Amino acid sequence: MSGQLMPCSPKEIGALFLFEKLEPEQLGRLCAAGRVELFQPGPVYTEGEPATCFYVMVEGTVVLSRQVGGDDVEVTRTSQAGVYAGAMQAYLGDRVRQAYNNTMRVTEPTRFFVLPADTFAEIMQDWFPMAVHLLEGLFFGSKNTQAAIGQRERLLALGSLSAGLTHELNNPAAAAVRATSTLRERVAKMRHKLAIIAGGPFSREQLSGLIEIQERTAERVAKASSLSPLEAADREDELTDWLEDHGIDHGWELAPTFVQAGLDVDWLEQVAAAVDEEILPNSVGWLNYTIETELLMNEIEDSTTRISNLVDAAKQYSQLDRAPYREVDVHELLDSTLLMLSGKIGQGIRVVKEYDRTVPPVPAYPAELNQVWTNLIDNAVCAMKDGGEGAGHGTLTVRTALDHEQLLVEFRDTGSGIAPEIKSRIFDPFFTTKPVGQGTGLGLDISWRIVVNKHHGTMRVESEPGDTRFQVLLPLTAETPEESETPVEAV
């Protein structure tokens, strides 16, 4: 937007704090190269447009705002003469994207001294070469440091996830190996017991009846229901008494296996009625091996299913072989992230899921949203640790809901909370409350840029001791995917 051209007075602009140390010749050059423009109430420039001019307010009132989640959020409002905005990084040239990183408007007739960006860059190089070098070093040094530490943080997070995943995989893998070894022993004993039964003076009808009982026993194992500890103990006592009354040795060793398989005294009575008394002990022993075999195969199936689920969760978390931008069910992303971080969350922290399954899929970059969930869960877990050490204790609640045509994802923890004096700084790069060496201060900054800049959403935090809530709001409608993130200098 262009304003009305006005006379440029070196004396007037020399009174502004930005130019008060300049020589008369320098002020004359500024007036010759720049211009004074009068803007009526309304916009002067818009966020994201190419940064073509450097603006210094001479008199009036200026308002700066940023786009956050589709809303125009006011950042600054001032009437102080000499405030500046616009192409403030023109001296960096083409090495960075030159765009306005906010929207500027005026609320009353306002005069600006306007300097073209190219001219501003030339004047900076001519008049302040040392300052330009220092500013370039500060800017690019900070940017490179942020990139290096961000990469390091991602590597540390990957190492932590890998260790947790390895630990989670090791438990079911070890259980499967252990069950397989025990199963081999039980099958060998079953063959031995079968040989004893087959070598005895038993009729074909008796053997056929015993095999039929074996089949029905296997079916009952598959349908066994769980019992309370008290119910299981009472049933074990009943089975032990029955076995001892029928001359079967070591009944107290067999009873727990029968109870686990869902068998009771009525089942034993059916076995006793189907076979002769002299072969009852061997028959019960053989059926015990059948039950143990079925239980071991169930254990192997559960273990391998657990491994398969962990591998699926890892694939879901990393989003391998999937489009980078697509519609996603956030509950799948949350579940995979919680599963990947289960080792770090530990046993002392209770995870509560309050999902609204009616919320629709949202257009998103799923791998990057998983990074946001990881950062927020990691912070919540750390907040619930005593002084940052030892196992954490508390409750982590993950909630989803609709909030004014946006998808809300909330992470609530019962940790110590965020002090009011630092609440406004938690999204700043390199700011961290963790001990030295335990945090880079980039987790929330990265999360902010992913949610706000890349997904056009919103992040907010509410905190008091025992109740801290990080909320992520994502739009339900798709916008054109960005090719790259907003540059660091515009954040």
Side-chain angles (χ1 to χ4, degrees):
M1 178 179 176
S2 298
Q4 178 185 352
L5 289 177
M6 306 286 289
C8 179
S9 168
K11 183 178 180 181
E12 184 179 42
I13 65 171
L16 303 175
F17 66 84
L18 192 63
F19 303 132
E20 61 185 358
K21 298 297 183 181
L22 297 182
E23 299 295 332
E25 296 81 4
Q26 293 173 316
L27 294 173
R29 180 180 175 183
L30 285 177
C31 268
R35 60 189 183 273
V36 173
E37 292 187 41
L38 174 64
F39 289 85
Q40 298 301 320
V44 177
Y45 63 74
T46 303
E47 179 181 351
E49 292 178 346
T52 58
C53 294
F54 177 68
Y55 294 84
V56 183
M57 189 177 74
V58 179
E59 65 174 352
T61 301
V62 65
V63 177
L64 298 180
S65 60
R66 292 287 306 272
Q67 282 286 323
V68 179
D71 298 325
D72 210 27
V73 179
E74 183 174 315
V75 177
T76 304
R77 179 186 293 261
T78 181
S79 299
Q80 181 183 356
V83 295
Y84 52 90
M88 294 183 293
Q89 295 171 341
Y91 61 88
L92 296 172
D94 295 335
R95 287 172 291 178
V96 298
R97 178 172 173 258
Q98 296 292 339
Y100 295 121
N101 60 7
N102 51 45
T103 295
M104 184 168 73
R105 62 185 176 88
V106 296
T107 59
E108 61 178 321
T110 302
R111 286 191 300 138
F112 287 97
F113 173 70
V114 183
L115 197 60
D118 294 342
T119 305
F120 175 55
E122 292 174 3
I123 289 176
M124 287 287 292
Q125 296 287 350
D126 291 345
W127 293 353
F128 314 108
M130 182 176 178
V132 169
H133 286 302
L134 291 174
L135 289 171
E136 287 178 345
L138 177 63
F139 177 81
F140 288 111
S142 175
K143 187 174 182 179
N144 293 337
T145 300
Q146 187 173 9
I149 293 180
Q151 180 67 18
R152 176 64 175 170
E153 183 171 80
R154 285 189 288 271
L155 289 173
L156 289 173
L158 179 60
S160 177
L161 287 173
S162 299
L165 180 61
T166 302
H167 174 75
E168 291 296 319
L169 285 171
N170 182 66
N171 290 335
V177 171
R178 184 170 57 251
T180 302
S181 177
T182 306
L183 179 61
R184 183 175 289 109
E185 295 177 5
R186 294 298 182 268
V187 171
K189 291 182 178 180
M190 181 184 292
R191 292 196 302 266
H192 177 70
K193 187 69 70 174
L194 180 60
I196 294 176
I197 293 175
F202 309 124
S203 65
R204 182 186 298 273
E205 289 75 14
Q206 289 177 320
L207 292 177
S208 177
L210 190 58
I211 292 173
E212 182 184 355
I213 291 175
Q214 181 188 37
E215 293 294 335
R216 287 193 282 115
T217 301
E219 292 177 2
R220 293 195 60 166
V221 173
K223 300 176 182 178
S225 58
S226 59
L227 301 175
S228 68
L230 184 59
E231 291 173 333
D234 290 342
R235 184 171 292 186
E236 286 178 16
D237 291 340
E238 293 175 2
L239 291 177
T240 300
D241 293 340
W242 190 95
L243 293 170
E244 291 178 353
D245 291 343
H246 289 76
I248 299 174
D249 298 331
H250 306 292
W252 56 273
E253 292 181 345
L254 302 178
T257 303
F258 292 162
V259 172
Q260 186 179 356
L263 308 179
D264 51 21
V265 171
D266 291 340
W267 172 82
L268 289 176
E269 291 290 354
Q270 294 176 30
V271 175
V275 300
D276 293 338
E277 185 177 350
E278 64 269 18
I279 67 169
L280 180 61
N282 284 334
S283 300
V284 171
W286 185 47
L287 293 175
N288 176 63
Y289 292 141
T290 299
I291 295 169
E292 288 185 335
T293 300
E294 291 293 324
L295 293 175
L296 288 169
M297 286 192 292
N298 288 344
E299 184 176 349
I300 293 172
E301 182 182 14
D302 291 341
S303 299
T304 52
T305 301
R306 171 72 173 165
I307 293 172
S308 178
N309 290 340
L310 284 168
V311 173
D312 287 343
K315 187 175 180 180
Q316 172 73 20
Y317 180 83
S318 62
Q319 292 295 306
L320 293 174
D321 303 325
R322 302 208 177 186
Y325 185 82
R326 60 186 179 86
E327 286 199 342
V328 295
D329 181 352
V330 293
H331 302 114
E332 294 180 359
L333 305 183
L334 291 168
D335 286 341
S336 66
T337 303
L338 288 168
L339 186 55
M340 292 292 290
L341 293 175
S342 58
K344 187 167 189 176
I345 293 174
Q347 299 295 323
I349 296 177
R350 186 169 68 98
V351 177
V352 177
K353 299 178 183 178
E354 296 180 356
Y355 291 167
D356 180 357
R357 296 286 183 178
T358 64
V359 299
V362 294
Y365 297 86
E368 298 191 29
L369 284 184
N370 279 340
Q371 187 177 1
V372 174
W373 313 149
T374 300
N375 292 336
L376 296 181
I377 293 172
D378 179 70
N379 284 349
V381 171
C382 290
M384 287 186 282
K385 291 183 178 180
D386 297 330
E389 299 178 358
H393 297 278
T395 302
L396 170 64
T397 304
V398 183
R399 182 171 71 93
T400 63
L402 282 178
D403 187 327
H404 297 91
E405 301 304 320
Q406 289 182 305
L407 171 62
L408 168 68
V409 182
E410 181 183 79
F411 299 84
R412 178 182 179 184
D413 69 73
T414 57
S416 55
I418 302 171
E421 59 269 18
I422 67 171
K423 185 177 176 181
S424 62
R425 302 174 57 198
I426 59 175
F427 293 106
D428 292 349
F430 306 111
F431 179 79
T432 180
T433 58
K434 296 178 182 177
V436 176
Q438 293 189 21
T440 62
L442 287 179
L444 290 178
D445 170 57
I446 291 171
S447 299
W448 174 274
R449 285 188 283 139
I450 290 173
V451 172
V452 176
N453 295 344
K454 199 153 190 178
H455 289 85
H456 310 287
T458 305
M459 283 191 72
R460 59 195 185 198
V461 59
E462 301 173 2
S463 181
E464 59 184 42
D467 186 4
T468 296
R469 306 183 187 196
F470 277 90
Q471 297 178 332
V472 175
L473 289 162
L474 298 172
L476 299 178
T477 56
E479 297 190 25
T480 303
E482 300 176 10
E483 293 298 325
S484 60
E485 285 191 51
T486 302
V488 174
E489 64 271 14
V491 177

